[in-house]
Amino acid sequence: APETIAEFKLDLAAGAPALIEYLSNPALNLIRNTGFDTSKLQGEARVKVDMSLPLIKDVPKSRVIVVASARISNTGLKDALPGIDISDGEIDLTVEKGALKAGGKAKLEGIPVKLFWQRAAGTDAKQSAVIEANLDGEERKKIGIDLGSFMRGPIGVKATIDDLGHAEGRVDVTADLSDADMRITAISWVRLAAAKTTASLTYYSKGKDGRRVEDLVIKGPGLSIKGEIGLGPKGTGFRTAKFSEMRLSDENIFSLSVKNSEDVTAVTLRGDSFDARPLIRSMFATKKSAGGDSESDEKPISISLNLDRIHANRGEMITGVSGELMARRGRLESAEISGTFLSGQPVVFRVTPVEGGREMRINGRDGGAAIRAANLYSSVAGGQIEFYALLANDGSGSVKTGKLVLRNFEVRNEAALAELDTKGKPKKSGPRSDAMSFTKLTLPFTADAKFIRIGDTLAQGNELGISAGGLIRKSDGVVEISGTIIPMYALNSLFSNIPLLNEILTGGKGQGIIGVTFALGGNIDKPVFQMNPVSAIAPGILRKFFEFGNGQSLQTKNNNSDKVQN
């Protein structure tokens, strides 16, 4: 007899738990073995069920065709992922031939996300899910991925979970980092947001090795990072990090490992090249960098170095670098680093904690290279350097007392000296093109948040001697230095060591019978040089009357400015 096909259309509305229990009824068997605990599901559901079957006796189950679709509003699901809840969802659900698919918008720990979830047909079918979201730092912490200060800003994330029942909670993640800044505080490296920067990684939420990130790859214009991160308990940041490849720029190519304990963050740096210029700038920083992570800033950072070369300021490079550093709150507390300049001369840099501060010392046999590397001055060549500074511990970047001694060096291409002949007078036939040699420079100094104060400085050479002192303003590099140029220094200063005569004839120890007072003003990058030729005919005891301001006007102006602001 011909078969008659019957079609049933059901339109149902109820609470989500009741409807899911109904769809799981053995006669329908639509949502059985999904792994859902329906007691945790909240929301209001509207379900449409289309069922067709032949009107014959003992209908086989294979002839019963059921298609169901539902929309669950105000969806809530406790522990949808380990320790993570879903709320405020608008989820569309379809069931066909035993396969279940669900998707829509919801909130994951209060974070707006797009969700897609499916289960294939079969009793023990695998379940999978995809989650898409745009996460800032606080939102990443909420779901247990806290990258500390390494990543700041919004990140577009797509998380794919191939098996919701995976024993270690595996999640494969791809991310768009185009709007995120990156920084590694320990080495003062910062990379601002750049288009076409992406990341991929595999995240494990549990397992014998704990929460962790494996197969991390970050790439973008001029950037390539590969490594893995061991995460601590939710909300506690990371335990360890190992980066087999860190190509941060053309000058930064190395491997990096970090171990985070309760007491210290230990960093090991190995590789081809490292750009130390940002780290050098931070040594005398007067303020903590904006956006710093207070907890990580409190904890000391220990850094171990072993690098083929380090890039410093003004084109200087140090090779074969090894050493140990300790920093806290972006401030260098101790260090012992050694290396060799391209000239072949060794250099040693030390910072040692002492009572009342930190003692910094630089010793080497290429003083010019050391001064250029520190970005202090570019015209010195060669010389043996002995640098000392007692740094304060209050975070102000101040130097309580300091002294630079440089022996047997040359000054080359210095505009101010180039205009002088060996008699200390302006040249009439054009500037000097050759270098000027000095046997010793002694430069005492102090520094605070506003000024570098240069004490009674003396540079001694056979041709020329210079005594000077003054101020350099840190905020804008304005210079106000004055002193005396002593021509034919070896002969001119003979009487400077004889008591009484040295004051009358030369003006004091290290001075000369003949001297020309001068002033250096303007900006440290473009200084303006002035001389007072009348002072050359005055005896030493009267020469002080012809000296320029020696930094007093600059300090007075600054104090007056402070008063106006206050």
Side-chain angles (χ1 to χ4, degrees), residues 91-334:
I91 304 297
D92 291 321
L93 183 148
T94 61
V95 181
E96 186 173 1
K97 296 180 180 180
L100 180 65
K101 295 180 181 180
K105 295 181 179 180
K107 289 184 178 179
L108 204 67
E109 291 293 289
I111 305 164
V113 298
K114 292 181 180 179
L115 295 173
F116 178 77
W117 173 81
Q118 66 177 359
R119 178 182 67 85
T123 303
D124 298 320
K126 185 173 68 173
Q127 301 175 66
S128 61
V130 176
I131 305 171
E132 295 184 37
N134 201 53
L135 305 174
D136 61 23
E138 290 301 317
E139 290 167 339
R140 291 194 292 275
K141 287 181 181 180
K142 284 184 179 180
I143 60 174
I145 304 177
D146 181 10
L147 299 180
S149 60
F150 174 65
M151 194 82 66
R152 297 183 184 277
I155 300 174
V157 176
K158 181 179 180 180
T160 302
I161 308 171
D162 283 335
D163 184 1
L164 283 168
H166 193 280
E168 295 186 298
R170 173 172 175 157
V171 182
D172 294 305
V173 179
T174 58
D176 182 358
L177 309 180
S178 298
D179 296 322
D181 299 336
M182 285 177 276
R183 70 188 66 215
I184 303 176
T185 306
I187 60 175
S188 298
W189 176 79
V190 177
R191 183 181 190 268
L192 299 179
K196 298 182 179 180
T197 303
T198 62
S200 62
L201 58 92
T202 300
Y203 168 66
Y204 294 92
S205 61
K206 54 187 176 180
K208 64 177 183 178
D209 296 324
R211 295 172 60 249
R212 63 197 186 278
V213 170
E214 294 185 358
D215 300 321
L216 171 64
V217 176
I218 301 175
K219 57 185 179 180
L223 176 69
S224 178
I225 299 175
K226 296 179 181 179
E228 57 189 40
I229 302 171
L231 301 169
K234 185 178 177 181
T236 62
F238 70 95
R239 295 177 289 108
T240 61
K242 294 180 180 180
F243 299 99
S244 58
E245 179 180 315
M246 298 281 286
R247 289 181 173 266
L248 308 181
S249 65
D250 291 340
E251 295 83 15
N252 277 315
I253 305 172
F254 52 85
S255 64
L256 176 71
S257 64
V258 183
K259 187 174 182 180
N260 210 359
S261 67
E262 293 183 1
D263 302 322
V264 65
T265 298
V267 179
T268 302
L269 217 61
R270 301 284 186 270
D272 297 334
S273 176
F274 175 66
D275 185 358
R277 287 170 290 187
L279 199 59
I280 293 171
R281 285 196 297 269
S282 71
M283 284 182 183
F284 294 97
T286 58
K287 295 182 180 179
K288 188 169 69 173
S289 58
D293 184 283
S294 59
E295 183 178 347
S296 63
D297 286 342
E298 287 293 333
K299 187 185 299 184
I301 299 173
S302 170
I303 306 173
S304 174
L305 298 175
N306 196 331
L307 296 159
D308 291 343
R309 59 188 180 276
I310 280 183
H311 294 267
N313 292 290
R314 299 183 183 267
E316 287 298 329
M317 191 180 296
I318 307 172
T319 62
V321 179
S322 62
E324 305 287 336
L325 299 85
M326 183 71 75
R328 189 196 299 263
R329 299 176 184 171
R331 185 182 70 241
L332 193 61
E333 291 193 340
S334 65

Side-chain angles (χ1 to χ4, degrees), residues 318 337-341 345-349 362-366 370 385:
I318 307 172
I337 303 172
S338 61
T340 305
F341 286 112
Q345 299 298 334
V347 62
V348 177
F349 171 80
I362 301 174
N363 295 90
R365 292 202 291 269
D366 191 342
I385 185 171

Side-chain angles (χ1 to χ4, degrees), residues 210-534:
R211 295 172 60 249
R212 63 197 186 278
V213 170
E214 294 185 358
D215 300 321
L216 171 64
V217 176
I218 301 175
K219 57 185 179 180
L223 176 69
S224 178
I225 299 175
K226 296 179 181 179
E228 57 189 40
I229 302 171
L231 301 169
K234 185 178 177 181
T236 62
F238 70 95
R239 295 177 289 108
T240 61
K242 294 180 180 180
F243 299 99
S244 58
E245 179 180 315
M246 298 281 286
R247 289 181 173 266
L248 308 181
S249 65
D250 291 340
E251 295 83 15
N252 277 315
I253 305 172
F254 52 85
S255 64
L256 176 71
S257 64
V258 183
K259 187 174 182 180
N260 210 359
S261 67
E262 293 183 1
D263 302 322
V264 65
T265 298
V267 179
T268 302
L269 217 61
R270 301 284 186 270
D272 297 334
S273 176
F274 175 66
D275 185 358
R277 287 170 290 187
L279 199 59
I280 293 171
R281 285 196 297 269
S282 71
M283 284 182 183
F284 294 97
T286 58
K287 295 182 180 179
K288 188 169 69 173
S289 58
D293 184 283
S294 59
E295 183 178 347
S296 63
D297 286 342
E298 287 293 333
K299 187 185 299 184
I301 299 173
S302 170
I303 306 173
S304 174
L305 298 175
N306 196 331
L307 296 159
D308 291 343
R309 59 188 180 276
I310 280 183
H311 294 267
N313 292 290
R314 299 183 183 267
E316 287 298 329
M317 191 180 296
I318 307 172
T319 62
V321 179
S322 62
E324 305 287 336
L325 299 85
M326 183 71 75
R328 189 196 299 263
R329 299 176 184 171
R331 185 182 70 241
L332 193 61
E333 291 193 340
S334 65
E336 177 81 24
I337 303 172
S338 61
T340 305
F341 286 112
L342 292 178
S343 62
Q345 299 298 334
V347 62
V348 177
F349 171 80
R350 292 186 179 90
V351 175
T352 307
V354 296
E355 185 177 352
R358 296 161 291 147
E359 195 174 81
M360 177 188 291
R361 293 185 182 274
I362 301 174
N363 295 90
R365 292 202 291 269
D366 191 342
I371 291 172
R372 287 190 295 275
N375 202 29
L376 297 176
Y377 186 59
S378 62
S379 298
V380 173
Q384 182 174 335
I385 185 171
E386 298 169 19
F387 176 90
Y388 165 83
L390 179 60
L391 309 177
N393 270 338
D394 58 6
S396 65
S398 62
V399 178
K400 295 181 178 181
T401 179
K403 189 175 184 180
L404 170 64
V405 177
L406 200 59
R407 305 174 191 275
N408 301 318
F409 64 97
E410 293 182 345
V411 175
R412 299 172 180 173
N413 303 316
E414 172 53 60
L417 294 182
E419 295 297 331
L420 300 173
D421 62 17
T422 58
K423 297 180 180 179
K425 298 178 181 179
K427 286 199 70 176
K428 298 180 180 180
S429 57
R432 294 172 60 99
S433 58
D434 56 327
M436 192 167 290
S437 298
F438 292 87
T439 56
K440 186 178 180 182
L441 166 70
T442 304
L443 190 156
F445 67 96
T446 61
D448 56 26
K450 296 179 180 179
F451 293 105
I452 298 173
R453 294 175 170 83
I454 299 173
D456 292 333
T457 298
L458 181 62
Q460 300 166 283
N462 291 327
E463 294 183 82
L464 203 66
I466 301 172
S467 64
L471 292 173
I472 300 174
R473 190 162 60 197
K474 285 185 174 182
S475 60
D476 52 10
V478 170
V479 177
E480 192 166 306
I481 296 173
S482 64
T484 303
I485 297 171
I486 307 161
M488 298 178 294
Y489 184 79
L491 178 62
N492 202 351
S493 61
L494 285 176
F495 295 98
S496 66
N497 293 318
I498 301 175
L500 187 60
L501 286 178
N502 65 353
E503 292 293 337
I504 297 174
L505 295 178
T506 68
K509 187 175 181 179
Q511 302 294 314
I513 297 175
I514 301 172
V516 180
T517 58
F518 73 93
L520 200 63
N523 187 277
I524 196 168
D525 294 324
K526 293 182 179 179
V528 178
F529 184 71
Q530 303 176 63
M531 289 191 302
N532 186 351
V534 177

